[in-house]
């Protein structure tokens, strides 16, 4: 560890002096390889500075391939930090400079990074346009391994878009694109490239099986992905697959196993500065300890999650708003002539001045309010925590009473349930105001985690009728077919 530290320190110290020298192509590739390793293994903050220096060295040496490689690393780094505006900027520059040397693989990479950023901003149409263009460019790649690797990467992105999109067919589409990606990767002859490329795809396939509730297959493919990530020392992929294992075990309600995975994931995500994954890890750890009844641990990780979530939410909102607005402005300017651009600039400047004044005033007011509140914040937090503990105790006592009423099929069950969980009935009626009392009672039983067999027993109804009622409730509440109805009901109380 010390040896590695001193090597990095020596590299950074001598780098400015080395820049003045003339480099061979082999030496430049070595510098680029070092920088790529700094990105993939630890998401180092020096990646941008090193990549910019590599770009200038390559430019001085008249080595356009090195310039393109440096741009790709910068683009990937900005994407990992959620700066989609910068990602798109360098992805487009990658596409342009790679086009000058007919580097079709790098053109595809630039288009793919742009597509990832567009869909991260919710601009799915623009993302699909980038991918369509990238697939047509990929057909020009002459090297077979580069061809299959590029197509596999593009299918992986299509899978991500399908999974995080809003289509009713998202899981089948996700499964299809992940399988397509693995098919392409399997044709790569170079074993190191094949294993490196297949790593995330195996993790995605495992996640697809987890969504299908086929947990044995999910663990099988995720463990393959985990082994490949560790062999390749790709810590980002290792974080991704560990996050998938956490999701799978939590879905199975295996909370202790979930915690075991999280104990590996949390320090790794800290080490590699994967803050979004770390935030999800804190949240799942808190929920797991809640399920296991460990109040102290639950509150510990709730505090960690809240602190990190607030920090990320502010930065993410700022970056997304800025990136989104810039993209929209660029699209509008494409359709304007020079005169219109001038008028638009004047109008935008005036509007920006007004907005700056407005938001500046709002920020100043908010600052004054926050300054007054901060003195009492600690006391308020303590008081709220005390109230929360007291409320949870009351809910726990009332829970036993409600369950007993449900088992007796008592006529006051629904009334008492609404007193203890007032928000649940409100939220159900907000989704579908036409729900009947009998249907609300059925939803309450599902919220209390009564099995179909239990509901049939306590309400004196045949088991098949209970399944029919579940199907009707799914339709009336628009619950997706693949989603666990019990978890859906539980989330109403979030």
């Amino acid at each position: 560890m010390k040896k590695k530290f001193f090597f990095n320190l020596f590299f950074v110290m001598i780098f400015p002096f080395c820049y003045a020298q003339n480099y061979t192509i082999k030496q430049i590739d070595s510098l680029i390889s070092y920088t790529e390793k700094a990105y993939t293994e630890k998401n180092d903050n020096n990646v941008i500075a090193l990549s910019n220096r590599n770009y200038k060295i390559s430019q001085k040496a008249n080595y356009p391939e090195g310039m393109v490689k440096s741009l790709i690393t910068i683009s990937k780094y900005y994407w990992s930090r959620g700066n989609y505006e910068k990602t798109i900027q360098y992805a487009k520059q990658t596409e342009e400079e790679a086009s000058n040397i007919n580097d079709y693989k790098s053109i595809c990479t630039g288009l793919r990074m742009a597509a990832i950023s567009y869909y991260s901003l919710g601009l799915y149409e623009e993302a699909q346009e980038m991918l369509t263009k990238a697939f047509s460019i990929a057909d020009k790649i002459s090297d077979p391994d580069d061809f299959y690797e590029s197509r596999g990467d593009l299918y992986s992105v299509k899978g991500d878009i399908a999974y995080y999109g809003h289509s009713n067919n998202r899981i089948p589409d996700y499964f299809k694109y992940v399988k397509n990606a693995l098919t392409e990767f399997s044709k790569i002859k170079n074993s190191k490239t094949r294993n490196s490329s297949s790593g995330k795809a195996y993790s995605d396939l495992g996640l697809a099986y987890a969504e299908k509730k086929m947990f044995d297959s999910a663990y099988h493919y995720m463990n393959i992905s985990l082994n490949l990530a560790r062999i390749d020392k790709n810590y980002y992929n290792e974080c991704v697959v560990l996050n998938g294992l956490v999701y799978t075990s939590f879905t199975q309600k295996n909370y202790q196993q979930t915690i075991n995975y999280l104990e590996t994931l949390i320090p790794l995500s800290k080490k590699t500065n994967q803050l979004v994954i770390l935030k999800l890890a804190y949240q799942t750890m808190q929920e797991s300890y809640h399920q296991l009844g460990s109040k102290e641990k639950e509150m510990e990780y709730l505090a960690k999650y809240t602190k990190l979530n607030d920090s990320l939410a502010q930065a993410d909102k700022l970056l997304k708003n800025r990136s989104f607005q810039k993209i929209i402005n660029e699209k509008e300017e494409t359709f304007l002539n020079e005169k219109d651009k001038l008028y638009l600039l004047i109008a935008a400047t005036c509007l920006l001045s007004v907005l700056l004044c407005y938001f500046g005033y709002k920020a100043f007011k908010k600052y004054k309010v926050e300054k007054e509140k901060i003195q009492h914040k600690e006391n308020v937090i303590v008081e709220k925590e005390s109230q929360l503990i007291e409320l949870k105790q009351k809910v726990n006592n009332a829970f036993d009473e409600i369950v007993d009423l449900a088992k007796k099929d008592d006529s006051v069950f629904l009334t008492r349930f609404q007193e203890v969980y007032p928000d649940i009935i409100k939220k159900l009626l907000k989704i579908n105001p036409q729900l009947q009392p009998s249907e609300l009672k059925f939803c309450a039983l599902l919220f209390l985690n009564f099995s179909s067999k239990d509901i049939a027993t306590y309400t004196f109804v045949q088991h098949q009728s209970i399944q029919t009622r579940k199907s009707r409730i799914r339709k009336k509440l628009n619950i997706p077919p693949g989603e666990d109805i019990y978890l859906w009901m539980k989330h109403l109380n979030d």
Side-chain angles (χ1 to χ4, degrees):
M1 186 69 183
K2 290 183 178 179
K3 184 177 180 181
K4 184 176 181 181
F5 170 79
F6 285 117
F7 174 78
N8 291 344
L9 179 62
F10 175 74
F11 181 87
V12 172
M13 288 176 65
I14 69 167
F15 205 83
F17 302 100
C18 293
Y19 177 54
Q21 302 176 3
N22 291 322
Y23 281 83
T24 65
I25 301 302
K26 185 176 181 180
Q27 289 172 328
I28 295 173
D29 283 340
S30 179
L31 292 174
I32 292 172
S33 178
Y34 172 85
T35 305
E36 289 174 345
K37 191 175 182 181
Y39 163 69
T40 57
E41 291 190 4
K42 54 185 178 179
N43 208 4
D44 197 320
N45 290 325
N46 293 317
V47 167
I48 296 298
L50 294 175
S51 294
N52 280 324
R53 186 61 60 89
N54 293 340
Y55 180 88
K56 292 176 181 178
I57 291 173
S58 300
Q59 191 176 43
K60 182 180 179 182
N62 194 25
Y63 180 40
E65 289 83 358
M67 295 163 61
V68 170
K69 291 176 185 177
S70 300
L71 291 172
I72 290 173
T73 302
I74 295 173
S75 179
K76 289 180 178 179
Y77 178 85
Y78 276 127
W79 181 80
S80 71
R81 294 301 180 93
N83 193 332
Y84 305 121
E85 176 187 345
K86 288 287 188 181
T87 305
I88 293 171
Q89 174 189 333
Y90 283 97
K92 288 183 176 180
Q93 190 176 347
T94 298
E95 179 191 355
E96 292 171 1
E97 298 200 16
S99 297
N100 294 332
I101 55 174
N102 294 329
D103 182 356
Y104 299 116
K105 181 184 178 182
S106 295
I107 296 173
C108 286
T109 301
L111 290 168
R112 175 167 57 85
M113 293 306 300
I116 293 172
S117 298
Y118 280 129
Y119 93 71
S120 297
L121 291 168
L123 300 170
Y124 297 104
E125 183 178 340
E126 287 79 358
Q128 294 292 358
E129 287 178 4
M130 294 294 105
L131 290 176
T132 300
K133 184 177 179 181
F135 271 109
S136 66
I137 295 294
D139 291 335
K140 299 179 182 181
I141 299 175
S142 57
D143 182 84
D145 279 5
D146 288 347
F147 172 77
Y148 295 126
E149 182 184 358
S150 295
R151 284 179 58 86
D153 287 338
L154 294 174
Y155 275 123
S156 291
V157 176
K158 287 184 75 71
D160 289 341
I161 294 175
Y163 185 77
Y164 293 105
H166 304 288
S167 168
N168 293 329
N169 206 40
R170 70 183 191 92
I171 298 303
D173 283 346
Y174 177 58
F175 187 79
K176 176 181 70 175
Y177 291 130
V178 170
K179 293 282 285 184
N180 287 345
L182 274 172
T183 299
E184 298 292 340
F185 291 143
S186 67
K187 298 174 185 177
I188 299 174
K189 291 184 179 180
N190 185 292
S191 59
K192 184 177 180 180
T193 303
R194 182 176 62 248
N195 291 341
S196 178
S197 298
S198 301
K200 181 180 180 300
Y202 278 121
S203 176
D204 290 342
L205 184 60
L207 181 59
Y209 277 117
E211 292 287 3
K212 290 172 171 282
K213 310 301 180 187
M214 300 170 67
F215 297 112
D216 288 342
S217 295
Y219 284 118
H220 172 72
Y221 287 108
M222 286 184 184
N223 282 321
I224 291 176
S225 177
L226 186 61
N227 289 333
L228 291 174
R230 286 172 174 170
I231 291 171
D232 203 35
K233 292 185 179 179
N234 190 322
Y235 299 126
Y236 171 73
N237 280 357
E238 188 174 348
C239 283
V240 170
V241 68
L242 282 170
N243 192 51
L245 288 166
V246 166
Y247 172 79
T248 304
S249 58
F250 187 84
T251 302
Q252 286 186 292
K253 300 181 181 180
N254 192 339
Y255 303 116
Q256 187 55 57
Q257 182 175 326
T258 301
I259 290 171
N260 293 339
Y261 284 130
L262 286 167
E263 287 175 345
T264 303
L265 174 59
I266 287 174
L268 184 62
S269 58
K270 286 181 180 178
K271 175 183 176 182
T272 55
N273 205 29
Q274 298 299 331
L275 300 183
V276 175
I277 293 178
L278 180 61
K279 180 191 76 171
L280 294 174
Y282 282 151
Q283 184 182 30
T284 310
M285 187 72 93
Q286 177 254 319
E287 292 174 353
S288 297
Y289 277 121
H290 170 74
Q291 294 295 334
L292 293 175
S294 178
K295 303 296 182 184
E296 183 179 350
K297 284 289 187 180
E298 177 189 354
M299 295 303 294
E300 175 188 343
Y301 282 97
L302 176 60
K304 291 181 178 180
Y305 164 76
T306 302
K307 181 178 179 180
L308 182 56
N309 182 60
D310 290 345
S311 175
L312 288 177
Q314 292 178 2
D316 185 59
K317 183 177 180 181
L318 178 63
L319 284 172
K320 281 191 174 181
N321 286 345
R322 187 173 64 187
S323 299
F324 188 86
Q325 190 59 49
K326 183 174 181 179
I327 292 167
I328 295 301
N329 288 342
E330 288 177 352
K331 288 174 69 67
E332 290 177 351
E333 288 175 3
T334 304
F335 302 98
L336 296 174
N337 56 34
E338 292 301 321
K339 185 177 179 180
D340 291 334
K341 287 181 181 179
L342 179 59
Y343 289 154
L344 180 62
L345 180 61
I346 294 171
T349 303
C350 294
L351 178 60
L352 181 60
S353 299
V354 173
L355 288 175
L356 285 174
C357 292
Y358 172 76
F359 286 115
Y361 174 72
K362 293 282 286 186
F364 177 73
K365 284 187 66 178
K366 184 177 180 181
Y367 168 77
K368 289 184 66 177
V369 172
E370 289 298 323
K371 188 175 181 181
E372 293 173 358
K373 289 181 178 179
I374 199 168
Q375 298 176 0
H376 307 286
K377 188 174 181 180
E378 290 186 3
N379 292 335
V380 172
I381 291 174
V382 172
E383 182 181 350
K384 285 186 176 179
E385 287 180 350
S386 176
Q387 291 174 352
L388 178 61
I389 293 171
E390 182 180 351
L391 179 60
K392 284 186 176 180
Q393 185 62 43
K394 290 181 180 179
V395 171
N396 289 338
N397 294 336
F399 178 82
D400 294 335
E401 176 193 350
I402 295 172
V403 170
D404 187 55
L405 291 172
K407 290 180 178 180
K408 294 177 181 179
D409 198 22
D410 197 303
S411 60
V412 301
F413 162 70
L414 185 59
T415 302
R416 185 64 180 127
F417 178 87
Q418 191 168 3
E419 291 173 353
V420 177
Y421 301 101
D423 292 338
I424 302 300
I425 301 300
K426 291 179 182 177
K427 289 179 179 179
L428 288 169
L429 290 173
K430 185 176 180 180
I431 296 171
N432 188 341
Q434 304 301 321
L435 289 174
Q436 300 298 315
S438 60
E439 292 171 325
L440 293 172
K441 176 183 175 182
F442 187 75
C443 291
L445 293 172
L446 294 176
F447 175 83
L448 295 172
N449 214 29
F450 276 65
S451 66
S452 298
K453 182 179 178 182
D454 291 338
I455 297 174
T457 300
Y458 298 132
T459 59
F460 309 103
V461 177
Q462 291 185 354
H463 184 270
Q464 184 60 39
S465 298
I466 300 303
Q467 297 302 323
T468 302
R469 288 187 185 181
K470 281 186 178 181
S471 297
R472 290 175 180 169
I473 287 296
R474 279 183 178 277
K475 292 180 180 179
K476 289 194 173 186
L477 296 176
N478 297 319
I479 303 174
E483 186 163 353
D484 189 316
I485 194 170
Y486 290 96
L487 288 177
W488 189 93
M489 291 292 176
K490 283 293 184 186
H491 286 323
L492 290 174
N493 200 35
D494 292 345

